[in-house]
Amino acid sequence: MRPTLAAKWVAVVAGTAIVIALPFVVSQFRAVQLATVAVYFIAIVGLDILTGYSGQISLGHGALMAVGGYTTGILMTHHGWPDLATIPVAALVGGAVGVAVGIPALRLHGLYLALATFGVAVALPTILKKFDHFTGGSTGLSLFSHLTGHGVGVTILGHRLTNNDWLYALTWSIAIPLFLLAWWLVSSAFGRSIRAVRDNELAAAASGVNRATYKVAAFGVSAAYAGVAGALYAVVSTFVNPDTFPITLSLYLLVGAVVGGYGSIWGAALGALLIQFLDDIVDVLPGIDPKQAGPRTFFFGAVLVVVMIVLPLLTRLTNRVYTRS
Amino acid sequence: MTEFLQQVVSGLASGGIYGSLALAVVLIYRSTGVVNFAQGEMATLSAFVCWTFMDHGVAFWPAFALTLVLSFFGGVAVETVFVRPVQGAPTLAIVILTIGLLIMVNGLTTWIWGGAAKPFDGPFSTEPIDVGGVRFSKQDLGVIVVSLIVIALMWLLFSRTKLGLGLRAAAVNPIESRLVGVRVAWMLALGWGLAAVLGAVAGVMAAPSLFLDPNMMQTVLLYAFAAAVLGGMDSPVGAVVGGLLLGVLLNLVGTYIDWVGGQLRLATALAVILVVLLVRPAGLFGRQAVQRV
Amino acid sequence: MKKLAALIVLLACAPVALASSSATPGVSAKEVVVGSSGPLSGEAAAAAGVLRGAEAYFKYVNGRGGVNGRKITFKYLDDAYDPSKTVENVRQLIQQDQVFALFGVVGTNSNLAIRDFTNAAKVPVVFSQSGATTFGKDYVKYPYTIGYLPPYAEEAEIYAKHILATNPKKAKIAVLYQSDDYGKDLLAGLRRGLGSKNAELLVKAVGYDPTTSDVQSQVADLKASGANTFMVFAFGKFAIQAVVYANKLGWKPSLYINDVASATAIMQLMPQSTVQGAISIAFGKDPATPKWANDPGTKLAGQIIKKYVPGGNPKDGFLIAGMASAYSFADALKKAGKNLTREGLMKAVTNMNEPANPFLLPGIKVHTTPKFRFPVTQVSLQRWQKGHWVLFGGLQSARP
């Protein structure tokens, strides 16, 4: 039962309406949490394009977010740029890094690409700390004084927004257009080509699809999304530091991408909500002490494991991933 | 010169730990074609189990033996319960599953034993032995010796026994193996069980010097991957040799190249992975895969 | 479709909060809510003991009626030493849990990450667990933030002065330091303390990243420099490893262990032959030091731990450190009076005059003024002898 095109449009319109309405009914704190959800959402959509649609597994998506986050951080603290202006730059820089990574990644298949990207994600914090002249080292960069609204509030078109509402508006007003862009991409010839390459490289090549171009392009697009997500993450956290992009971020993004529909962008919101709110859900379970980190991590992993086992058995939406053995 | 030798020797000691975990990774890869990202966490869990036995008064060697047995069954259980259901799924799916296991086991370990590091009394003393100005401890020697014994046993298993033959056959061609009577399902479970035992050995050997905490093997896992890649993903000998080489390389690079210093060890391991995968993916001892069209 | 469903579910669960009508958040007639964040998991998890110790002390105070009739509710969250999680936690504590103030936030980077927005929101962040000088020095820009611990830089200066006093001609110093602000502050303080002799006496300094698994290679490197004095500016297991490896390599330098790693429980894990005579500083009463075995403050701490920290070790230095700062916090709360406001708390905190904190060394006065915001600036040197610390030299100044 694949959703029809009409159903997809309904979902998008309804989703957008909800996003617009939410801040009027939820608390301030929820608003800023949902802003973080938007950040994860953008990152997951990007990861979906790379891993779900183009079949290149990446365990280093958090590292690509770091590229965007630090681009923003460096431009803001070393060069005094306003935060908004850094976002397109973060996208471009992210995209460029993605292309640069995508080229050698062509030679690495499946498992080996997973290993290599895993390595990048694990080693990245130490590399960021090494180049402390740019990155502020382990202390990181504080963005607070350069943020729009200085963390207090913003006036738009005569309306005064609190800081949290501003962050919510900023992140979602970028997230939704990026989602639409992604939808367009995966439904277009580009999307068909990358899926063709994913499913059967030989057949794709025989049909005239240049696998190298499309795989690298997918990496670039995915990394551009991650760059934007990283930039926004920095803005929401007001602070950027090598430890804010640890290996667990990359792994959780993968969890989000998979749980939210096995690499389909239509589940990205669910995945993003999961990453942000699973802690809160776990805390409510009987016998769990919210101060303990163990149970939260355990259930996070358990959710992924269960989804990986159960999902293929249940739904046939995931057929596309099983077209080859 | 003495300093050089000293760095080499202590590099061999830490390399022994990387090699033993790499062995576990390679075993699962060889017998099931999967890279188990949860290998490090499973090893940590085994080390905690051993610690718990010792905390309750059991002496080291009996505790160690018990841990190995439990780890074996643990590995079999993991394969049967979690991996078996996704048999036949593409590599991507199984990798994600093992990552889920990584997160889950890490959470479980933190949940049960808490986050703080615990000291672990190893079987070998840390008193130094002096050989011509170069010093190492019995513990270092013990780690290297144990790794070598284990690899020898593995080699024997794989190349000289019928079981080993069955394991290899099941990995390479499950369908035809079944036709000749190999119980493929049991072979896969067995592979995971043995790997869990290897991981347990690595974890228990590592704990005295790295200190036991739930994240103990997280960075070691990357070093183990680098060792396995360097040695060749399908070569047990390669895993151990790769581990030893990597340990020495990391020490020498860290000491003699100031810019790397003590802070870029992980990055150096990453560099090893990238260089090997891009230049000679089969590693030192692996077989070059021929892609049939 | 899933996206839609998920958003509807979330909407149904989202709490609708009305603007808080009370004048001061977190304060009611019977309760004051205080928040914190620290590494309950991850590589620095041992330091979380300060939060547990503080919690236990607050429970004890509550058991005796609280402060000015209010019970202290202490809520703390795990950030695994990831500053972006600290930001998230503190946002939650301020905006959702409506805490009155933050207390004892653990870690230099964590405190740096939250400093800007807590000051913008005018929320006090009091007695943070960090010795970074900036938390006492930069109060003009950040008036709502104040530290507690004696500054790391000054601690290292004291070590430098000790070396200059005892072995000025022949000392050759090697330093192992954690490559973040805490370790670098110590190293900088050491250099400053050595003054003009810095280049001559400090032969090698090697850093390590706390995500590394071990420091064998670094220690071997330091030994090869020919040093006879080893400064261990490292934390927890790395400090232990440093001494274990020095021992293994047959290196027997004079050891200086930084305060953060000097808890008796940690020292006892090191090879005793090497660590004999090691020097550190102390400002709290380490319960394992025989001198304090019968001290009323230590006994009180033991009782509190027994009653309020299930499974807690009465000899855990981190628990005591937490209690010391909690005592000062309760003291400040009391001084802030029955009519409790955030401004009132900051006024109390910048006018501390506490002569007898039961958990700090006798003679240490917790003292602040609006222009001098370093609460604890007196320490004593101590030497490790036969399995425990022995204080010597009287109280020294660690005033920046």
Side-chain angles (χ1 to χ4, degrees), chain C residues 57-75:
Chain C
Y57 185 74
F58 290 145
K59 286 188 176 152
Y60 165 74
V61 165
N62 290 344
R64 302 174 63 173
V67 176
N68 291 331
R70 291 189 180 94
K71 300 231 171 100
I72 304 174
T73 301
F74 186 42
K75 181 163 183 184

Side-chain angles (χ1 to χ4, degrees), chain A residues 81-105:
Chain A
W81 281 42
D83 52 359
L84 296 180
T86 66
I87 296 174
V89 180
L92 285 172
V93 172
V97 170
V99 167
V101 169
I103 295 174

